[in-house]
């Protein structure tokens, strides 16, 4: 009984670690995507941006996208994943569809929904500048798919390793 | 050294803000205006006021006439779109011509347009427009960040502020587009022969200055001929600028604001080849309406600019010394209302428009005057 409780506790921890890894990765990737596309648009408008400014702006935006704007991106990614990933788990359980396909799809859907919501906050405007174009939006959505993939990969790998350790003498 | 002193003054100007002791009294001249946007003083003492919802209203002997002015073109009202600014032709007494800006087109296909018409009074209670014709159309955008302020220069050319259309901000640096520009046209919509980018390849000849986000304050000092404009930044970075022909005001390459998402608009607040603002307001207080005291009823305000604010729910007296902003005084904060426009009337009193469904025209006079 105690052993089972221990396994359950470890499983919760593994899920939490996998979830945090997925959110952090998706937030970081989506923030960088926005910065890259925003700065690329400035380049096309005639600005000259040095490499260190690119890096500095990426760093500033990683902070700003969560703490300075109307859209607290990290929090929204977290909420999105809290809805999307359990939904993927339920679908996987009842359909038997491959989890390595479902979870990335769920992550992508979370980011697409986030983009849709943000772009309908005020009229139909893109409050997230980096997602104005198809390519930027695709990369933004892909960052969610990446997060979903990382989540399921971490979850399965860590669970397997824990099971092996628990079963082994 | 001179540059350092100038920068210290600019820095000082952005922080030195104090409440003005109320040397004024306010009275409501008219009420019941739906989101009034702009005013024009007619030579006979009447006032024309635009309502964003599409009506042009007459205030006759201090009374708002119920029936709107007839024959105003259809307006597509939505978000920031609607019937916007109004300006009288400098020869209005002779030709009865007035100009107004408005938006037409739904959703993504909204565009800022400028119309010319003749105002005929007396036919109906409020008068009517005849010979209405469109003289300028900006590219289609969503109805936000539109601009639309009008300013006649002494040579009878017309400046029009055109916003960047929000999603198209890089267009403010593209001289082929009129988005994010102040344009200059003749009173019939043709291009003046002395425009700064006339007949240059890949440039729209109407462009007067560029790199603007959305200027909704435009004014010329009648004494020095200096043109001033202010513009709304995104999240921070509202600016007051001295406008000169052919100059680049930086947006979006240089901005003191950040994007609504919290990311940087640009890594630069200053950029070579772009003009710095006289003053910038961060966080944003959304300037709207701009005027200047020249012979107004407050002699101590002579030469100062007055700016209305929407989000800031106040006005500010911007004190200029040799072209540099040295101080700002907060005015009318006790109103607690969004100020859409303010103008000095021919009598030297200040007239303000409050921005709401039951908007008012407020007349402000010095406290001593009865």
């Amino acid at each position: 009984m105690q052993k089972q409780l221990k396994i359950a506790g470890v499983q919760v921890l593994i899920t939490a670690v996998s979830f945090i890894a997925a959110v952090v990765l998706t937030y970081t990737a989506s923030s960088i995507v926005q910065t890259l596309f925003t700065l690329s648009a400035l380049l096309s408008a005639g600005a000259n941006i040095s490499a260190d400014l690119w890096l500095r702006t990426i760093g500033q935006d990683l902070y700003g996208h969560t703490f300075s704007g109307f859209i607290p991106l990290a929090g929204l990614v977290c909420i999105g994943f809290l809805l999307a990933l359990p939904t993927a788990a339920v679908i996987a359980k009842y359909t038997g569809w491959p989890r390595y396909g479902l979870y990335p799809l769920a992550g992508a859907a979370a980011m697409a929904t986030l983009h849709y919501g943000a772009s309908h906050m005020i009229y139909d405007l893109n409050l997230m500048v980096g997602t104005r174009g198809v390519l930027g939006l695709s990369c933004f959505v892909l960052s969610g798919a990446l997060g979903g993939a990382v989540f399921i990969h971490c979850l399965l790998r860590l669970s397997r390793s824990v099971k092996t350790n628990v079963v082994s003498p | 050294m001179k540059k350092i002193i100038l920068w210290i003054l600019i820095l000082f100007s952005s922080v030195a803000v104090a409440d003005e002791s109320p040397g004024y009294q306010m009275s409501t001249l008219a009420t019941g205006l739906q989101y009034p946007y702009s005013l024009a003083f007619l030579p006979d003492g009447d006032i024309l006021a635009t309502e964003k919802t599409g009506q042009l209203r007459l205030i006759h002997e201090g009374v708002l006439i119920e029936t709107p002015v007839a024959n105003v073109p259809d307006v597509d009202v939505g978000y920031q779109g609607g019937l916007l600014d109004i300006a009288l032709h400098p020869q209005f007494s002779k030709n009865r011509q007035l100009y107004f800006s408005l938006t037409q087109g739904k959703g993504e296909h909204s565009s800022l347009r400028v119309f010319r018409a003749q105002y005929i009074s007396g036919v109906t209670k409020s008068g009517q427009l005849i010979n209405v014709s469109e003289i300028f159309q900006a590219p289609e955008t969503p109805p936000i960040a539109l601009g639309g302020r009008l300013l006649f220069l002494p040579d009878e050319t017309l400046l029009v502020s055109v916003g960047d259309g929000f999603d198209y901000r890089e267009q403010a640096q593209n001289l082929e587009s009129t988005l994010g520009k102040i344009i200059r046209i003749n009173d019939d919509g043709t291009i003046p022969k002395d425009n700064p980018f006339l007949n240059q390849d890949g440039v729209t000849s109407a462009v007067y200055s560029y790199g603007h986000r959305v200027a909704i304050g435009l004014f010329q000092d009648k004494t020095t001929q200096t043109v001033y404009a202010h513009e709304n930044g995104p999240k921070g970075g509202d600016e007051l600028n001295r406008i000169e022909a052919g100059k680049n005001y930086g947006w979006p390459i240089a901005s003191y604001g950040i994007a609504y998402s919290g990311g940087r608009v640009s890594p630069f607040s200053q950029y070579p080849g772009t003009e710095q603002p006289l003053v910038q307001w961060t966080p944003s207080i959304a300037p709207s309406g701009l005027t200047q005291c020249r012979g107004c009823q407050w002699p101590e305000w002579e030469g100062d600019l007055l700016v209305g604010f929407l989000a800031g729910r106040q006005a500010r007296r911007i004190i200029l010394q040799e072209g540099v902003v040295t101080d700002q005084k907060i005015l009318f904060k006790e109103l607690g209302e969004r100020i859409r426009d303010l103008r000095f009337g021919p009598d030297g009193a200040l007239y303000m428009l409050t921005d709401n469904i039951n908007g008012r025209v407020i007349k402000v006079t010095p406290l001593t005057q009865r």
Side-chain angles (χ1 to χ4, degrees), chain A:
Chain A
M1 181 67 179
Q2 218 174 18
K3 195 174 177 182
Q4 277 175 335
L5 275 174
K6 195 177 170 187
I7 291 172
V10 170
Q11 196 60 48
V12 168
L13 191 66
I14 287 170
T15 308
V17 167
S18 306
F19 182 82
I20 290 165
V23 169
V24 168
L25 186 77
T26 298
Y27 171 69
T28 305
S30 60
S31 174
I32 291 173
V33 162
Q34 286 205 62
T35 306
L36 296 183
F37 279 88
T38 301
L39 295 186
S40 298
L42 288 181
L43 282 185
S44 68
N48 188 9
I49 304 168
S50 62
D52 67 314
L53 264 182
W54 280 80
L55 290 173
R56 198 185 310 163
T57 310
I58 285 170
Q60 287 170 334
D61 283 359
L62 278 170
Y63 174 85
H65 281 142
T66 280
F67 297 107
S68 304
F70 294 139
I71 308 159
L73 189 56
L76 291 177
V77 169
C78 193
I79 292 166
F81 274 25
L82 275 173
L83 297 171
L85 300 181
T87 306
V90 171
I91 294 172
K93 186 175 178 184
Y94 289 103
T95 63
W97 289 350
R99 283 179 291 187
Y100 270 107
L102 262 178
Y103 280 87
L105 201 62
M111 295 306 278
T113 309
L114 200 159
H115 166 78
Y116 181 82
S119 61
H120 284 77
M121 265 176 69
I122 303 174
Y123 216 73
D124 284 339
L125 302 167
N126 287 299
L127 294 187
M128 292 187 290
V129 179
T131 59
R132 285 178 297 176
V134 175
L135 192 58
L137 177 57
S138 303
C139 291
F140 186 76
V141 170
L142 276 176
S143 68
L146 188 68
V150 163
F151 175 78
I152 192 61
H153 183 72
C154 288
L155 190 71
L156 295 179
R157 280 292 292 269
L158 290 173
S159 300
R160 206 172 296 143
S161 114
V162 167
K163 274 177 192 164
T164 310
N165 286 337
V166 170
V167 170
S168 304

Side-chain angles (χ1 to χ4, degrees), chain B residues 140-208:
Chain B
E140 291 181 352
T141 65
I144 187 170
L146 295 158
R149 283 289 179 198
L150 308 174
L151 172 68
F152 265 106
L153 299 179
D155 62 1
E156 298 183 8
T157 59
L158 178 67
L159 295 184
V160 183
S161 68
V162 185
D164 70 351
F166 196 93
D167 274 351
Y168 306 95
R169 62 194 194 184
E170 290 80 14
Q171 292 300 311
Q173 292 293 324
N174 176 8
L175 292 171
E176 285 184 27
S177 168
T178 54
L179 293 178
K181 310 292 185 310
I182 291 175
I183 63 148
R184 178 170 173 253
I185 52 178
N186 288 317
D187 59 4
D188 59 357
T190 56
I191 307 298
K193 297 279 180 269
D194 55 347
N195 260 10
F197 299 106
L198 193 73
N199 298 331
Q200 291 185 20
D201 283 344
V203 178
T204 302
S205 297
V207 173
Y208 186 73

Side-chain angles (χ1 to χ4, degrees), chain B residues 24-350:
Chain B
Y24 51 78
Q25 56 195 354
M26 291 187 269
S27 60
T28 300
L29 189 69
T31 189
L33 289 152
Q34 294 179 21
Y35 296 101
Y37 203 95
S38 178
L39 283 177
F41 299 96
L42 302 181
D44 61 4
D46 286 353
I47 298 172
L48 285 171
T50 57
E51 292 176 303
K52 213 171 86 172
T53 46
Q55 300 80 35
L56 183 58
R57 306 290 296 273
L58 180 71
I59 300 168
H60 176 63
E61 292 177 351
V63 177
L64 179 68
I65 305 299
E66 201 164 327
T67 320
V69 173
N71 298 338
V72 172
D74 289 339
V75 176
D76 285 302
V77 182
Y79 207 58
Q80 293 176 354
L83 181 56
L84 305 175
D85 205 5
I86 182 169
L88 302 185
H89 190 281
Q91 305 295 330
F92 178 83
S93 323
K94 292 177 192 161
N95 62 23
R96 307 293 294 176
Q97 282 183 359
L98 53 80
Y99 293 72
F100 46 93
S101 56
L102 52 80
T103 51
Q104 289 183 336
K106 305 275 186 205
E108 297 278 317
H109 303 292
S110 183
S111 75
L112 177 76
R113 293 156 196 244
V114 178
F115 283 80
R116 171 175 69 164
Q118 281 180 293
Y119 174 67
I120 307 297
S121 54
V123 183
T124 65
K125 224 174 175 186
S126 293
Q128 63 173 329
L129 301 181
I130 61 168
N131 300 325
V132 181
S133 61
E134 184 183 307
I135 60 163
F136 171 75
Q137 181 182 346
E140 291 181 352
T141 65
I144 187 170
L146 295 158
R149 283 289 179 198
L150 308 174
L151 172 68
F152 265 106
L153 299 179
D155 62 1
E156 298 183 8
T157 59
L158 178 67
L159 295 184
V160 183
S161 68
V162 185
D164 70 351
F166 196 93
D167 274 351
Y168 306 95
R169 62 194 194 184
E170 290 80 14
Q171 292 300 311
Q173 292 293 324
N174 176 8
L175 292 171
E176 285 184 27
S177 168
T178 54
L179 293 178
K181 310 292 185 310
I182 291 175
I183 63 148
R184 178 170 173 253
I185 52 178
N186 288 317
D187 59 4
D188 59 357
T190 56
I191 307 298
K193 297 279 180 269
D194 55 347
N195 260 10
F197 299 106
L198 193 73
N199 298 331
Q200 291 185 20
D201 283 344
V203 178
T204 302
S205 297
V207 173
Y208 186 73
S209 63
Y210 63 109
H212 301 285
R213 184 170 182 268
V214 50
I216 46 175
L218 197 54
F219 191 82
Q220 186 181 37
D221 184 337
K222 300 293 181 276
T223 305
T224 64
Q225 311 299 317
T226 307
V227 174
Y228 297 98
H230 59 57
E231 56 190 71
N232 280 230
K235 203 168 176 293
D238 298 342
E239 296 181 357
L240 173 68
N241 288 299
R242 183 189 296 111
I243 303 300
E244 290 177 53
K247 294 275 174 78
N248 180 358
Y249 290 84
W251 176 259
I253 291 175
S255 174
Y256 287 92
I258 60 168
Y260 293 115
S261 65
R264 302 284 302 188
V265 168
S266 165
F268 309 105
S269 52
Q270 301 168 35
Y271 193 81
T274 67
E275 302 302 307
Q276 278 292 293
L278 292 172
V279 66
Q280 63 92 10
W281 294 288
T282 301
S284 289
I285 41 178
S288 183
L290 175 62
T291 191
Q292 187 179 34
C293 173
R294 284 290 182 204
C296 74
Q297 291 190 12
W298 292 264
E300 67 275 23
W301 292 4
E302 182 64 23
D304 296 346
L305 296 171
L306 269 86
V307 182
F309 292 94
L310 295 165
R313 292 172 188 264
Q314 60 184 258
R316 287 192 186 187
R317 181 162 69 90
I318 310 293
I319 300 167
L320 286 163
Q321 281 178 4
E322 293 176 13
V324 175
V325 175
T326 56
D327 202 359
Q328 300 177 49
K329 300 286 187 187
I330 294 173
L331 293 161
F332 318 128
K333 209 173 179 182
E334 64 275 21
L335 268 179
E337 292 187 65
R338 290 159 58 86
I339 296 173
R340 171 58 74 182
D341 200 8
L342 35 67
R343 289 165 193 245
F344 285 104
D347 57 356
L350 182 69

